[in-house]
């Protein structure tokens, strides 16, 4: 357990992302992207590659930004793209076109989607994941399957809904000084368990065979993986019981991450694209007010990118694997991720539920579980009942 001495160990209270983490699009870049979109045409998301979305000049800029993600702050926000000129489907193809110059898109759930829609549909679809529910989120890292996690803002919320990010390296350094006993627990890790449908279509067992370290270090780089959902599923679905020390370690990690000293809020503008190093940057979101119509709700697009050129994660930190995400692709349907199709489908479902008076009551787990202790308490209540 050594102190992290790289630029990745920043504190939100000391950072201005507008000057230290932002790339603003210039006219020449917009023109090059527009030309690439014409070459791309109406290709399916899965068919967009560096060759079908050529960026002969801007490709070098994206390569530099990729280096910033690995060995810099781990955060890049691209701003200034003229969202108003393009349809939602065109924005989706532009987003993926930029993304493939940074990494390889991988499937994000058992559905097989390469491009996710982050939008609250919890009132119309049962058992949604956190990114399809409203409200705030706990800090987390999106599994071990991707190296870069990215969001594009298609439509903002009525109010709120900032992207809240934090440097795991900075928190690591503080815990090394103040609670090395709890930091040691994070290095030891926790058992993980897939979401029930993800597990059904994964090739690895639902429950990890061993504890998955939350933190590892190699060559001075910190690598983290902390999917709060997978940890909670291990407790509630597989009956794993955490010790008081394990609860305290997780809660201390979240407490520091939620401190104004550490977190950094990014208020998205429509057209913004955020790239995060999914190994060392934890992310969450603030609470927000949204519109009743699903077609007007806060809507972000999400990419999981694997960067094969980056150093590999240690084997003991892998839970969700390339084999799992590749198997999920069997369930993917062509063009399924295009925002126009997705919103049309969700709107039809919402209208049907309204007619049947069967809209669901949304549940926000981030406010339901202020401590990991609550996961076990709810499990035990269910058993008793």
């Amino acid at each position: 357990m050594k102190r992290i001495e790289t630029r990745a160990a920043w504190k939100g209270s000391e950072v201005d992302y507008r000057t230290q983490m932002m790339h603003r699009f210039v006219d020449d870049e917009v023109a090059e992207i527009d030309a690439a979109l014409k070459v791309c045409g109406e290709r399916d998301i899965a068919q967009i590659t560096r060759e079908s979305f050529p960026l002969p000049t801007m490709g070098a800029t994206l390569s530099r930004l990729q280096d910033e993600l690995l060995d810099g702050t781990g955060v890049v926000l691209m701003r200034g793209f003229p969202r108003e000129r393009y349809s939602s489907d065109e924005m989706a193809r532009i987003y993926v076109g930029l993304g493939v110059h940074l990494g390889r898109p991988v499937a994000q759930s058992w559905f097989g989607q390469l491009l996710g829609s982050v939008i609250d549909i919890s009132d119309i679809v049962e058992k949604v994941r956190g990114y399809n529910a409203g409200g705030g989120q706990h800090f987390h890292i999106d599994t071990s399957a991707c190296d870069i996690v990215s969001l594009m803002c298609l439509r903002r919320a009525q109010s709120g809904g900032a992207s809240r990010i934090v440097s795991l390296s900075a928190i690591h350094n503080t815990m090394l000084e103040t609670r090395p006993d709890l930091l040691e627990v994070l290095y030891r890790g926790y058992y993980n368990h897939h979401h029930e449908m993800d597990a059904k279509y994964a090739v690895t067992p639902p429950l990890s065979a061993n504890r998955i370290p939350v933190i590892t270090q190699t060559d001075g780089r910190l690598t983290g993986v902390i999917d709060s959902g997978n940890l909670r599923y291990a407790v509630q679905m597989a009956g794993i019981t955490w010790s008081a020390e394990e609860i305290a370690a997780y809660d201390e990690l979240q407490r520091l991450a939620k401190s104004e000293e550490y977190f950094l809020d990014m208020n998205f503008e429509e057209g913004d694209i955020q790239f995060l190093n999914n190994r060392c940057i934890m992310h969450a979101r603030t609470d927000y007010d949204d519109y009743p119509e699903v077609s007007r709700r806060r809507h972000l697009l999400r990419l999981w990118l694997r960067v094969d050129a980056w150093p590999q994660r240690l084997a003991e930190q892998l839970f969700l694997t390339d084999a799992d995400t590749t198997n999920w692709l069997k369930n993917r349907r062509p063009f399924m991720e295009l925002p126009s199709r997705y919103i049309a489908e969700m709107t039809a479902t919402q209208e049907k539920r309204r007619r049947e008076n069967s809209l669901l009551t949304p549940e926000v787990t981030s406010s339901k579980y202020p401590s990991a202790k609550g996961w076990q308490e709810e499990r035990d209540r269910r058993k008793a009942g």
Side-chain angles (χ1 to χ4, degrees):
M1 300 195 303
K2 297 180 180 179
R3 183 177 176 84
I4 303 297
E5 300 290 356
T6 68
R7 290 175 55 221
W10 51 265
K11 293 182 178 180
S13 58
E14 301 170 355
V15 170
D16 183 348
Y17 73 85
R18 296 168 187 81
T19 58
Q20 296 171 262
M21 299 172 170
M22 184 181 289
H23 173 87
R24 283 195 170 273
F25 288 100
V26 297
D27 290 345
D28 287 349
E29 291 172 340
V30 173
E32 186 168 304
I33 291 169
D34 193 62
L37 179 63
K38 290 181 172 61
V39 173
C40 179
E42 297 187 359
R43 280 180 170 83
D44 185 15
I45 295 300
Q47 305 306 316
I48 299 176
T49 64
R50 291 187 177 195
E51 291 70 33
S52 64
F53 202 94
L55 297 172
T57 301
M58 195 178 178
T61 299
L62 291 171
S63 179
R64 176 178 58 80
L65 296 180
Q66 185 190 83
D67 292 339
E68 176 66 15
L69 290 170
L70 178 62
D71 286 322
T73 62
V75 181
V76 172
L77 181 70
M78 306 186 79
R79 175 165 287 176
F81 194 80
R83 162 73 178 94
E84 68 281 357
R85 298 185 197 173
Y86 300 90
S87 69
S88 293
D89 289 354
E90 289 173 331
M91 290 297 292
R93 290 187 171 98
I94 288 169
Y95 178 38
V96 176
L98 291 170
V100 296
H101 285 268
L102 289 173
R104 168 170 55 89
V106 298
Q108 300 176 26
S109 79
W110 71 274
F111 279 113
Q113 74 271 41
L114 294 169
L115 181 66
S117 276
V118 179
I119 185 172
D120 183 7
I121 54 171
S122 60
D123 58 332
I124 56 177
V125 176
E126 295 181 358
K127 295 183 178 181
V128 296
R129 304 281 288 277
Y131 60 90
N132 283 143
Q137 282 184 326
H138 289 306
F139 281 96
H140 62 284
I141 283 174
D142 279 5
T143 79
S144 58
C146 69
D147 300 309
I148 297 172
V149 61
S150 175
L151 295 170
M152 169 188 267
C153 180
L154 278 184
R155 190 165 45 251
R156 290 182 294 184
Q158 192 171 14
S159 64
S163 171
R164 179 163 285 180
I165 60 177
V166 72
S167 163
L168 183 56
S169 299
I171 292 176
H172 169 278
N173 288 348
T174 295
M175 291 185 69
L176 185 61
E177 296 175 1
T178 62
R179 292 304 304 266
D181 57 324
L182 297 184
L183 183 61
E184 188 174 352
V185 174
L186 298 181
Y187 270 82
R188 187 170 71 237
Y190 302 89
Y191 288 96
N192 282 240
H193 192 288
H194 290 305
H195 184 273
E196 57 183 324
M197 292 303 294
D198 287 350
K200 181 178 179 180
Y201 292 97
V203 297
T204 51
L207 180 68
S208 62
N210 302 295
R211 298 175 187 273
I212 305 295
V214 173
I215 296 172
T216 62
Q217 279 196 52
T218 306
D219 299 329
R221 293 191 184 101
L222 179 148
T223 300
V225 56
I226 180 164
D227 186 319
S228 300
N230 285 351
L231 302 183
R232 179 164 55 87
Y233 300 145
V235 171
Q236 295 186 334
M237 295 181 184
I240 298 296
T241 296
W242 285 15
S243 67
E245 188 180 42
E246 288 172 330
I247 292 171
Y250 175 86
D251 287 354
E252 178 67 1
L253 176 67
Q254 291 290 338
R255 184 189 72 80
L256 289 171
K258 293 172 183 177
S259 164
E260 291 186 359
E261 179 180 359
Y262 292 94
F263 72 71
L264 174 67
D265 282 355
M266 287 185 169
N267 292 296
F268 284 151
E269 297 178 5
E270 293 184 355
D272 279 0
I273 304 174
Q274 179 195 69
F275 294 103
L276 303 177
N277 182 328
N278 192 52
R279 301 179 177 196
C280 64
I281 303 297
M282 295 196 298
H283 61 280
R285 67 167 177 251
T286 64
D287 201 1
Y288 63 95
D289 295 316
D290 221 344
Y291 295 94
E293 302 86 4
V294 70
S295 60
R296 299 180 63 199
R297 290 180 183 175
R298 177 183 187 268
H299 189 182
L300 309 181
L301 300 179
R302 185 177 72 177
L303 281 172
W304 279 2
L305 299 173
R306 184 72 181 269
V307 187
D308 295 320
W310 282 11
Q312 292 187 353
R313 288 178 183 265
L314 297 179
E316 61 263 31
Q317 207 177 33
L318 292 175
F319 178 52
L320 187 64
T321 68
D322 260 353
D324 295 318
T325 57
T326 298
N327 199 57
W328 287 346
L329 287 173
K330 295 176 182 178
N331 296 320
R332 184 183 178 274
R333 293 174 286 109
F335 300 97
M336 63 180 280
E337 303 99 334
L338 290 180
S340 63
R341 293 193 178 197
Y342 181 84
I343 292 299
E345 181 181 346
M346 291 299 105
T347 297
T349 303
Q350 184 182 45
E351 291 175 351
K352 182 175 184 292
R353 282 195 175 275
R354 280 177 174 164
R355 289 194 302 270
E356 297 172 350
N357 197 28
S358 62
L359 288 172
L360 305 171
T361 301
E363 183 177 277
V364 181
T365 57
S366 61
S367 58
K368 184 177 181 181
Y369 302 112
S371 166
K373 183 180 179 183
W375 304 345
Q376 297 179 168
E377 291 173 340
E378 180 170 318
R379 178 199 64 196
D380 294 343
R381 282 196 300 270
R382 289 174 180 174
K383 285 184 178 179

